[in-house]
Amino acid sequence: MKEFTLDQVNEHNKENDLWIVIDSKVYDLSRFAALHPGGISVLLAKGVAGKDATNIFYGLHRQEVLLRPQYTRLVIGKVKGEEETIKIPPPGTISKVPYAEATWLVDSFHSPYFKESHRTFHKATRTFFEEVIRPEALRCEENGKRISQEVVDKLSEMQVIAMRMGPGKHLQGRKLMGGTVKPEEFDYFHEYIINSEMSRFGTRGFMDGILNGAVISLPPVLKYASPELYNKVVPEVLSGKKFISLAITEAFAGSDVSGLQTTAVREGDYWIVNGTKKWITNGTFSDYFTVGCQTDRGLTVLLIERTEGVNTKAIKTAYSSTAGTAYVTFDNVRVPVGNTLGKVNKGLSVILSNFNHERWVIICMALGAQRVVVEECMKWATQRVVFGKPLSSQAVIRSKLAKMISRVEACQNWLDLITHQMNNMTHEQVSDKLAGQIALCKQFVTKCARETAEDATQVFGGRALTTSGMGKVIENYHRTSGYDSILGGAEDIMRDLGVRQAMKKMPKDARL
């Protein structure tokens, strides 16, 4: 690469001949200025052009801007004797920013839960998500289109869809994340890593669009389907050839699943299903629906294929339509009796047992996104200059950062503890012992998330209000963090559930 002295760079500080230096690289802005008048006006201001504009650039633009073709082709050389100091980290890199990563990933820190297999798995997972998923996440979040089949096929190849169902027999014989972990070694901490990593891109709509419908709707099929139904549906979904959604919520009933009004009436070897479901994640493109229905003496869960009488309509929401949120109608849909999941009129237990894993997944994703926001704020507080000093010199900003860090660390430690219990309990024990803890942890994490969203918005100021630029991650987070406080059970319901579960276990002889 050609080398220049700073004096040579300064000579090109004329109206039609403008050079600047950003982290030792010399950029010729003349052609760009002609094509995009006003697009980089601040960098062309008096006292900037012809000088080292590194600090000014990073006060205005994200590092990723320099990777865009229209900027990379403007590089004509480097400053003689200087080396690049702000480097783009390669995929899979662990951030060195304090509190940007879970403690177990930080050098010299230890954890009783995470083993070397988790570290190896984490590196492979982060690399895969940054190389393959991140570009797709950014595209889909913006254009609102569903995840491409090409990326779904890559997810299937790495067995990500299967791993997001947790440990179990469905993993047998599969090569997980390129063989970094054996099926018999896979535990909930490995799944925890997947759910956390996919939430790191500031794309909340895509977090649901990346087949979250399967995560919350396939487990009842895995646990309760007949062998014939299992062998048909599970391979289709885990291979990414077919898609599935959980259709429980209605306009009539959300957290109160006992109030569902969709009906299933037995007619010979079929159920005749009528009703509507609302806010169904991935519903617009799903081939199957795990549906809660009222039968003669209770609730029954059915697996319904998209056939005649099943119709879906997209619902506009505050986050990207890439999530495929749908209004689903069932109009005299004939469902084979063999598609019944669990016992007839005992579907409530099927639904409730499924909620624990769903809520745990939401916690993992909410926490992963919260970590990223902490990192964004730490970076911005050090590179943003106000009143001639870094933003971090302001005590009020340091106070906000302290609260954000405290929240995310508290959330992390509670989630780690619960996940460890999940690894050492049976499904029945989790339902009995952890339902309340998971509910309370979920409401705590999502409440912390919304408080952090407010603090982060104040740290970034006006930039937190724009969907692009320096504050784009914060804008998306502030706008969408409330989703996690509703999906899987609203916060007030979670608090009440947690306490009710605790009260059930109060010893009869407990007295002050």
Side-chain angles (χ1 to χ4, degrees):
M1 183 178 288
K2 190 173 181 180
E3 295 189 337
F4 302 92
T5 66
L6 285 174
D7 287 339
Q8 288 175 315
V9 173
N10 195 40
E11 288 176 5
H12 294 268
N13 184 9
K14 305 170 186 175
E15 184 176 352
N16 297 311
D17 192 9
L18 301 163
W19 291 6
I20 64 169
V21 176
I22 301 176
D23 195 25
S24 80
K25 290 183 179 178
V26 180
Y27 292 76
D28 182 355
L29 300 183
S30 305
R31 182 169 177 271
F32 187 84
L35 293 174
H36 304 274
I40 48 175
S41 57
V42 179
L43 292 180
L44 302 180
K46 184 177 180 180
V48 177
K51 304 292 179 63
D52 188 326
T54 303
N55 290 336
I56 293 174
F57 176 85
Y58 282 106
L60 300 167
H61 301 287
R62 299 182 70 88
Q63 190 176 32
E64 63 203 44
V65 169
L66 296 176
L67 300 179
R68 296 174 184 169
Q70 63 265 41
Y71 294 104
T72 56
R73 62 172 171 256
L74 300 179
V75 178
I76 59 173
K78 64 185 292 285
V79 176
K80 188 175 182 179
E82 293 189 9
E83 295 295 330
E84 187 178 8
T85 59
I86 307 173
K87 298 180 179 180
I88 305 292
T93 300
I94 303 297
S95 176
K96 299 297 184 182
V97 175
Y99 301 103
E101 303 280 9
T103 309
W104 70 275
L105 290 168
V106 180
D107 287 342
S108 301
F109 282 81
H110 308 279
S111 168
Y113 307 123
F114 293 90
K115 303 178 177 64
E116 193 57 37
S117 71
H118 297 113
R119 299 180 191 279
T120 303
F121 183 79
H122 176 270
K123 183 173 180 59
T125 301
R126 177 167 290 187
T127 301
F128 173 76
F129 273 88
E130 289 182 349
E131 290 180 340
V132 177
I133 305 303
R134 180 185 175 86
E136 180 81 350
L138 297 176
R139 280 194 300 270
C140 291
E141 187 77 11
E142 184 174 351
N143 63 31
K145 296 181 179 179
R146 53 169 280 196
I147 186 173
S148 68
Q149 189 60 46
E150 178 185 2
V151 172
V152 171
D153 290 342
K154 291 178 180 177
L155 286 168
S156 177
E157 181 183 353
M158 290 291 114
Q159 303 301 332
V160 172
I161 304 173
M163 288 187 287
R164 294 193 70 202
M165 305 300 144
K169 67 177 184 179
H170 62 283
L171 298 180
Q172 293 176 3
R174 297 180 183 274
K175 190 176 182 180
L176 309 182
M177 196 56 71
T180 55
V181 61
K182 296 178 181 179
E184 60 271 21
E185 295 174 344
F186 186 87
D187 63 18
Y188 284 109
F189 280 112
H190 292 101
E191 186 190 355
Y192 173 169
I193 290 168
I194 293 174
N195 292 322
S196 297
E197 288 301 308
M198 68 172 48
S199 63
R200 292 179 53 81
F201 309 131
T203 54
R204 182 60 184 84
F206 185 79
M207 283 166 58
D208 282 347
I210 191 171
L211 310 184
N212 257 12
V215 177
I216 58 180
S217 61
L218 193 62
V221 180
L222 294 173
K223 186 172 177 61
Y224 296 103
S226 67
E228 295 77 17
L229 190 63
Y230 182 105
N231 292 333
K232 176 182 185 296
V233 175
V234 173
E236 291 178 330
V237 174
L238 296 188
S239 66
K241 305 306 180 187
K242 292 289 183 71
F243 307 104
I244 185 171
S245 292
L246 182 68
I248 300 296
T249 305
E250 300 177 359
F252 311 101
S255 298
D256 177 20
V257 293
S258 62
L260 300 179
Q261 294 189 18
T262 295
T263 61
V265 178
R266 183 74 178 265
E267 189 177 282
D269 292 334
Y270 290 89
W271 293 104
I272 307 302
V273 179
N274 285 280
T276 61
K277 300 292 180 177
K278 200 169 185 180
W279 304 290
I280 305 306
T281 300
N282 299 170
T284 58
F285 56 84
S286 282
D287 303 286
Y288 296 106
F289 300 87
T290 301
V291 185
C293 305
Q294 287 283 2
T295 41
D296 56 350
R297 296 189 306 278
L299 289 177
T300 301
V301 179
L302 306 177
L303 182 70
I304 301 180
E305 192 167 0
R306 186 186 285 266
T307 55
E308 183 179 356
V310 178
N311 294 286
T312 58
K313 179 181 178 182
I315 295 177
K316 292 184 178 180
T317 64
Y319 73 173
S320 175
S321 57
T322 187
T325 308
Y327 181 75
V328 185
T329 60
F330 301 100
D331 186 8
N332 289 321
V333 180
R334 294 174 64 82
V335 182
V337 170
N339 283 31
T340 305
L341 302 177
K343 296 180 180 179
V344 175
N345 296 320
K346 300 294 183 181
L348 184 61
S349 63
V350 175
I351 296 171
L352 294 180
S353 67
N354 193 49
F355 274 148
N356 288 325
H357 183 258
E358 176 183 356
R359 290 165 183 161
W360 175 81
V361 168
I362 292 172
I363 297 168
C364 294
M365 296 195 303
L367 182 56
Q370 201 173 154
R371 279 281 179 198
V372 173
V373 170
V374 171
E375 181 176 18
E376 293 273 310
C377 289
M378 291 288 284
K379 288 179 178 178
W380 183 240
T382 55
Q383 71 189 63
R384 170 62 167 164
V385 176
V386 292
F387 307 112
K389 296 180 180 179
L391 191 61
S392 58
S393 67
Q394 303 292 322
V396 66
I397 297 299
R398 295 197 300 273
S399 176
K400 291 184 182 299
L401 293 173
K403 290 187 289 184
M404 295 165 70
I405 291 167
S406 300
R407 292 186 203 110
V408 78
E409 289 298 319
C411 293
Q412 188 84 56
N413 281 277
W414 196 355
L415 177 59
D416 287 356
L417 178 62
I418 286 176
T419 306
H420 179 62
Q421 306 311 314
M422 291 169 62
N423 277 338
N424 290 279
M425 288 183 177
T426 64
H427 181 80
E428 289 71 23
Q429 287 175 323
V430 168
S431 297
D432 179 49
K433 308 289 186 183
L434 285 186
Q437 283 231 7
I438 291 173
L440 289 172
C441 183
K442 178 183 180 293
Q443 65 83 29
F444 179 74
V445 171
T446 58
K447 186 174 186 295
C448 287
R450 288 183 294 116
E451 291 174 356
T452 291
E454 290 294 332
D455 284 339
T457 299
Q458 294 301 314
V459 171
F460 272 76
R463 286 173 172 80
L465 307 179
T466 56
T467 58
S468 61
M470 300 299 288
K472 66 178 184 179
V473 172
I474 307 305
E475 186 280 330
N476 186 284
Y477 188 73
H478 185 266
R479 174 165 44 89
T480 63
S481 59
Y483 276 63
D484 295 324
S485 69
I486 299 297
L487 302 181
E491 284 179 4
D492 288 337
I493 300 295
M494 294 298 94
R495 293 189 192 101
D496 184 59
L497 171 62
V499 175
R500 283 191 290 110
Q501 290 291 313
M503 289 299 179
K504 288 180 181 178
K505 301 187 183 307
M506 282 290 292
K508 297 184 183 302
D509 60 349
R511 296 291 186 274
L512 291 176

